[in-house]
Amino acid sequence: MARYRQTLGHLHWEFDSLRTLLAKASPARSGDTLAGIAAQSDAERAAAQMALADVPLRQFIDEAVIPYETDEVTRLIIDTHEADAFAPVAHLTVGGFRDWLLSEVASGPVLAALAPGLTPEMVAAVSKLMRVQDLILVARKVRVVTAFRGTLGLPGRLSTRLQPNHPTDDPAGIAASLLDGLLYGNGDAMFGINPAGDSLPAIIELLKMLDGVIQRYEIPTQACVLTHVTSSIAAIERGAPVDLVFQSIAGTEAANAGFGVSLSVLQEGYDAGLSLKRGTLGENLMYFETGQGSALSANAHHGVDQQTCEARAYAVARRYRPFLVNTVVGFIGPEYLYNGKQIIRAGLEDHFCGKLLGVPMGCDICYTNHAEADQDDMDTLLTLLGTAGVNFIMGIPGSDDVMLNYQTTSFHDALYARKVLGLRPAPEFEGWLARMGILNQEGSQLRLGSQLPDAFAGALAQL
């Protein structure tokens, strides 16, 4: 195993492995401090970043941060690595890779072709050397387009997941949130409910309800009940109308085991979803959620820093050609991302790393009430991610999820981002909004009140 050394003035540091070097080079965050792997000072962090900049990209293929023999995620990363795709940057160091990414040579098509040749550890490493503006500039070049009933990720578009959660899964409460969100132009990424319970019959009823709304009003979107993948498989076996198959995932085998999944179980869910053939425009149907700190919270991080673990989760995701991947960036709490500054940085890192790996990235721009963060921080991250080309964000009544008890983005936040940044909904959904009289043909101006068509008259009662 290689050792990495760096001298600054009269101070000398030595890092005993690539895993240690990556952890020490990470921008400060509470999770790595909690794990006891963070740099002990700004000087040590700077030294680690300088040493990391000189590491050849090939080293990440030769030295696994988690052993190949003991972790199926590592085996997936190594076994699916495409040497031909990697060839254009194989001669570079991490620092040289940063410079190359920021150059005009690294265009969107070039980066898309490169994605199968990159490992999560490579993109995590280079992100640690980047400023916020670098993360935005590079991620903006990359478009990862997916399709089911709508098309997500196109240039100039920003989609939303309409999240009509209810603390008791009450149909009337869910319907009220659905209607509210649609009238604000939300829901083109999906209608996605986090169920209050895990009863399979209740989950199937929620799926039927969402499907009924989509079919009744011919909405070009897709639905998802965020239950365990095995419950989705069981629902499919019972004939339920499952569009997107959901699962929380992480970047190590042990952390995924904590979620009750393995790569083979995820493959089973993917195959079950494909068997229904419910997509009209495409077959991207997996929906994954991730978040920095998930492996550490399960004591399954193997001494790897939380941002590198997060990037490894994207390697799991891309195996199954997902419709969306959602980094729920501030949800786990201040033990892992302490304040608004750390949450903002983490959200931009996640988006950057996912995009470079060819994953369709969205972000739940959120925080818990015991974190040192507020809605101003979320406005900042929303604006930065919109500029960086994020595929989707969340739309929740009043930005306050009454079931999960956390703060995120509201229905009108998407309108703000679309208007300020010149973005529009997914094209199929935009056309539907115009036909229903909710938005104008440019997809930016709400038409509320008396201008709504009869199709929505009494809609809440009918739902």
Side-chain angles (χ1 to χ4, degrees):
M1 185 176 292
R3 302 182 78 86
Y4 305 89
R5 299 175 176 85
Q6 186 65 46
T7 298
L8 292 178
H10 65 283
L11 299 175
H12 176 76
W13 285 270
E14 184 172 293
F15 309 98
D16 62 6
S17 67
L18 192 54
R19 177 177 59 227
T20 300
L21 181 62
L22 286 166
K24 299 293 187 181
S26 282
R29 60 207 56 197
S30 52
D32 292 337
T33 300
L34 178 66
I37 60 176
Q40 297 300 301
S41 65
D42 289 339
E44 184 182 21
R45 181 173 295 108
Q49 290 171 342
M50 292 176 69
L52 183 60
D54 291 334
V55 174
L57 289 181
R58 288 187 181 275
Q59 186 67 22
F60 294 94
I61 300 171
D62 297 335
E63 183 181 346
V65 297
I66 302 174
Y68 181 94
E69 297 76 15
T70 60
D71 187 271
E72 69 173 357
V73 177
T74 299
R75 292 194 291 275
L76 171 68
I77 292 166
I78 298 300
D79 293 348
T80 59
H81 180 255
E82 295 188 10
D84 290 344
F86 178 56
V89 297
H91 62 290
L92 296 175
T93 62
V94 176
F97 186 40
R98 173 190 177 273
D99 295 341
W100 183 86
L101 287 170
L102 292 169
S103 72
E104 295 300 320
V105 175
S107 64
V110 168
L111 292 175
L114 179 66
L118 297 177
T119 69
E121 292 83 359
M122 292 176 191
V123 300
V126 76
S127 75
K128 298 175 192 298
L129 307 183
M130 290 185 144
R131 296 169 57 186
V132 161
Q133 64 178 253
D134 300 336
L135 297 171
I136 293 171
L137 177 62
V138 175
R140 186 178 174 86
K141 299 180 185 182
V142 183
R143 307 306 310 189
V144 183
V145 180
T146 58
F148 191 75
R149 291 198 193 96
T151 307
L152 267 61
L154 293 168
R157 306 283 176 169
L158 175 64
S159 298
T160 63
R161 169 185 159 190
L162 202 171
Q163 183 169 301
N165 290 347
H166 192 276
T168 63
D169 290 338
D170 177 64
I174 292 171
S177 293
L178 278 175
L179 181 60
D180 191 22
L182 286 170
L183 295 182
Y184 277 95
N186 281 246
D188 50 338
M190 75 171 88
F191 299 161
I193 297 176
N194 299 88
D198 58 2
S199 161
L200 185 58
I203 288 166
I204 291 174
E205 286 306 308
L206 289 174
L207 286 165
K208 289 179 178 178
M209 176 189 178
L210 294 177
D211 185 61
V213 173
I214 290 172
Q215 300 302 326
R216 179 184 183 91
Y217 295 106
E218 299 179 333
I219 307 173
T221 191
Q222 35 284 316
C224 184
V225 174
L226 281 68
T227 186
H228 195 270
V229 62
T230 55
S231 295
S232 294
I233 293 169
I236 290 170
E237 291 172 346
R238 296 192 185 189
V242 176
D243 290 340
L244 305 183
V245 177
F246 167 78
Q247 183 56 48
S248 293
I249 58 172
T252 72
E253 179 179 346
N256 283 325
F259 286 133
V261 297
S262 63
L263 298 183
S264 61
V265 170
L266 294 176
Q267 185 68 48
E268 185 180 353
Y270 178 50
D271 292 340
L274 284 176
S275 71
L276 297 183
K277 302 184 184 302
R278 291 177 60 83
T280 56
L281 298 180
E283 294 184 334
N284 302 113
L285 55 81
M286 298 299 285
Y287 174 48
F288 295 118
E289 287 193 343
T290 67
Q292 289 194 30
S294 58
L296 174 58
S297 69
N299 194 28
H301 62 295
H302 302 281
V304 178
D305 69 273
Q306 65 183 41
Q307 192 250 333
T308 301
C309 281
E310 173 72 4
R312 285 168 56 94
Y314 306 149
V316 175
R318 70 176 172 180
R319 175 186 175 105
Y320 308 101
R321 301 174 57 240
F323 183 65
L324 289 171
V325 175
N326 182 26
T327 170
V328 192
V329 65
F331 184 75
I332 302 181
E335 299 85 357
Y336 306 97
L337 295 170
Y338 180 72
N339 56 20
K341 180 180 178 66
Q342 293 187 10
I343 292 171
I344 290 167
R345 171 81 194 190
L348 294 170
E349 288 171 348
D350 294 351
H351 179 252
F352 165 89
C353 290
K355 283 285 191 67
L356 278 188
L357 291 169
V359 172
M361 289 302 298
C363 185
D364 190 342
I365 301 164
C366 62
Y367 64 100
T368 56
N369 285 315
H370 62 309
E372 290 292 325
D374 58 28
Q375 215 62 40
D376 285 344
D377 296 314
M378 300 306 102
D379 285 351
T380 299
L381 181 54
L382 168 62
T383 306
L384 294 175
L385 282 172
T387 304
V390 73
N391 280 24
F392 87 108
I393 61 170
M394 311 299 285
I396 293 173
S399 75
D400 182 6
D401 191 295
V402 296
M403 197 279 282
L404 293 174
N405 293 307
Y406 78 116
Q407 310 303 311
T408 180
T409 45
S410 69
F411 296 143
H412 67 268
D413 288 339
L415 295 180
Y416 149 76
R418 286 170 176 167
K419 189 172 185 63
V420 169
L421 301 175
L423 302 171
R424 298 156 67 184
E428 301 83 5
F429 192 77
E430 181 182 23
W432 180 83
L433 291 171
R435 290 193 301 275
M436 299 304 289
I438 297 173
L439 295 184
N440 63 14
Q441 293 294 336
E442 289 73 41
S444 61
Q445 182 62 50
L446 280 171
R447 293 174 170 175
L448 296 176
S450 60
Q451 298 182 36
L452 285 175
D454 292 340
F456 271 107
L460 177 58
Q462 294 169 8
L463 295 178

